[in-house]
Amino acid sequence: MIHFAIVGCGHIAIKHIEAIQRTENAVLAGLCDTNEARLTKLALTWQAPVFTSMSEMLEHLPHLDVICICTPSGLHADLAIEAAAAGKHLIIEKPLALTLEDTDRIIAAVARFGVKATVVHPNRYRPAIQHLKAALEHEAFGKLSHISAAVRWNRNQAYYDQAPWRGTRAMDGGVLMNQAIHSLDLLLWLFGPVSETKAFADTRLRNIEAEDTAIAVLKFDNGVLGTVEACTTVYEQNLEETLTVFGEHGYAIIGGRTANWIKDWKCASMTEDDIRQLVDEVEQNPFGVPGHQCIIRDMVQALLEDRKPAISLQDGRSAVKLVVDIANQGMQVRS
């Protein structure tokens, strides 16, 4: 059995816990948070030992194999480095860290102490995205002209007021680091590195330190052009998360309130029946196996097979770098 512990027991930790419970050869062996009331509630539900410091947990549970870092993002680096130094493998919630300096500290520690590590970018495992990835690998749309990603969501002021760290640059980040980083990771995974960015970013409606709205134009190394629109300012509720691809032989639109559905798909090499069958397949199970469960399962298999996890820390760093490039340039233009 691979023994997992959670550090940081907020809402995202539940996804990790449920994923561990559903994964063969995985067992929840510890919970850690500075909030004792939260810990007590989780302990009653999940029947796992609880600790208010990771150092204490590492001392009392030497058999732990994997630490899931689920704390506010600004704490990721120091906790990940401490766990790696103790010989523990790592699953780090997105973003890997809030700065490139911290991402590089984590990467260096993982290499130094010889542990395995991955970052949580679960949207890669969505069925519609998996089909899009396969189509791109087979060049089904021909030469690509341009792509677009839009995250038009709502996070009202009450969301940011839940905790003093929300919306801060040091601990949380803005819409790019917190919400749109999933779409940015998909852009990099699907279309490759970005060579140039032009951006605007601003804090338009929310009383937070970081940006709540950002617009960017990208040029990828392969010449593909792209746009990114991200905001948490849509009135009242989430509107859409959309990824659109245009090529010489077709196009695809993956969307919905979350990008789980094929909204449109045209491809010269596919018949209408082929496309209908593809769309129907996704409609029947748009969420598939939860992404967190795929990542937990991949870590278990990586340990049992002694291989690297599917999502690398370099992948996580690339997403952070793109966020930093867009946000920094955008906020400089604003000032």
Side-chain angles (χ1 to χ4, degrees):
M1 299 296 290
I2 306 299
H3 296 83
F4 287 79
I6 311 293
V7 177
C9 295
H11 76 280
I12 199 64
I14 303 302
K15 291 189 176 183
H16 287 254
I17 295 170
E18 291 176 345
I20 292 165
Q21 296 288 340
R22 294 170 180 161
T23 301
E24 186 177 1
N25 296 322
V27 60
L28 179 65
L31 297 166
C32 178
D33 197 289
T34 56
N35 186 319
E36 294 189 29
R38 182 186 293 161
L39 274 179
T40 300
K41 181 178 179 181
L42 285 176
L44 290 172
T45 304
W46 301 106
Q47 303 298 309
V50 297
F51 302 88
T52 55
S53 80
M54 190 174 72
S55 299
E56 180 187 9
M57 183 175 70
L58 292 172
E59 179 182 352
H60 285 83
L61 301 178
H63 62 289
L64 289 176
D65 299 298
V66 182
I67 305 294
C68 297
I69 306 292
C70 301
T71 63
S73 303
L75 301 175
H76 286 182
D78 288 345
L79 290 168
I81 292 166
E82 180 183 354
K88 308 306 176 185
H89 308 286
L90 298 167
I91 295 178
I92 305 171
E93 258 299 333
K94 64 78 187 169
L96 181 56
L98 292 178
T99 67
L100 290 175
E101 292 78 9
D102 276 350
T103 63
D104 290 340
R105 289 173 58 216
I106 295 171
I107 291 170
V110 165
R112 177 184 177 187
F113 296 110
V115 298
K116 300 182 190 300
T118 189
V119 60
V120 179
H121 284 299
N123 293 15
R124 296 186 181 195
Y125 294 97
R126 293 174 172 176
I129 298 298
Q130 289 281 317
H131 283 297
L132 180 60
K133 176 72 167 175
L136 292 168
E137 288 176 345
H138 288 88
E139 300 182 345
F141 303 115
K143 182 179 180 180
L144 301 181
S145 60
H146 65 292
I147 57 89
S148 176
V151 180
R152 296 166 175 152
W153 281 355
N154 170 274
R155 296 293 184 271
N156 60 23
Q157 192 60 46
Y159 166 85
Y160 291 108
D161 291 343
Q162 291 178 72
W165 55 266
R166 287 189 181 274
T168 63
R169 295 189 186 284
M171 295 297 291
D172 189 32
V175 62
L176 291 167
M177 196 70 83
N178 209 351
Q179 284 82 29
I181 194 168
H182 289 302
S183 294
L184 297 180
D185 170 69
L186 290 180
L187 294 184
L188 294 166
W189 186 54
L190 294 169
F191 307 108
V194 171
S195 59
E196 191 174 356
T197 64
K198 301 292 183 182
F200 290 92
D202 208 342
T203 311
R204 297 292 301 159
L205 301 181
R206 306 297 178 236
N207 182 24
I208 59 174
E209 185 179 17
E211 83 287 341
D212 62 15
T213 306
I215 306 288
V217 179
L218 311 178
K219 185 173 184 179
F220 292 81
D221 283 2
N222 57 15
V224 174
L225 302 179
T227 63
V228 173
E229 176 190 342
C231 71
T232 56
T233 58
V234 172
Y235 175 68
E236 199 170 42
Q237 62 186 1
N238 290 351
L239 178 63
E240 65 173 317
E241 178 188 27
T242 303
L243 181 61
T244 308
V245 181
F246 294 98
E248 60 180 333
H249 300 314
Y251 61 83
I253 304 173
I254 312 297
R257 286 195 178 179
T258 55
N260 285 89
W261 288 268
I262 297 176
K263 308 302 287 186
D264 207 345
W265 187 291
K266 298 292 183 183
C267 184
S269 62
M270 297 176 68
T271 67
E272 289 297 322
D273 285 343
D274 291 335
I275 294 171
R276 190 177 303 109
Q277 182 177 352
L278 174 62
V279 173
D280 288 346
E281 179 185 331
V282 172
E283 287 283 345
Q284 290 171 14
N285 188 18
F287 297 98
V289 178
H292 283 77
Q293 186 175 339
C294 293
I295 289 167
I296 295 290
R297 181 175 61 195
D298 178 66
M299 177 59 81
V300 168
Q301 293 172 344
L303 291 172
L304 295 178
E305 298 167 10
D306 193 22
R307 62 164 173 82
K308 295 179 179 180
I311 302 175
S312 72
L313 295 192
Q314 287 296 334
D315 292 338
R317 186 188 191 279
S318 295
V320 170
K321 183 178 185 303
L322 185 53
V323 168
V324 169
D325 288 346
I326 294 173
N328 284 352
Q329 184 180 83
M331 296 302 262
Q332 288 170 6
V333 170
R334 180 186 73 164
S335 62

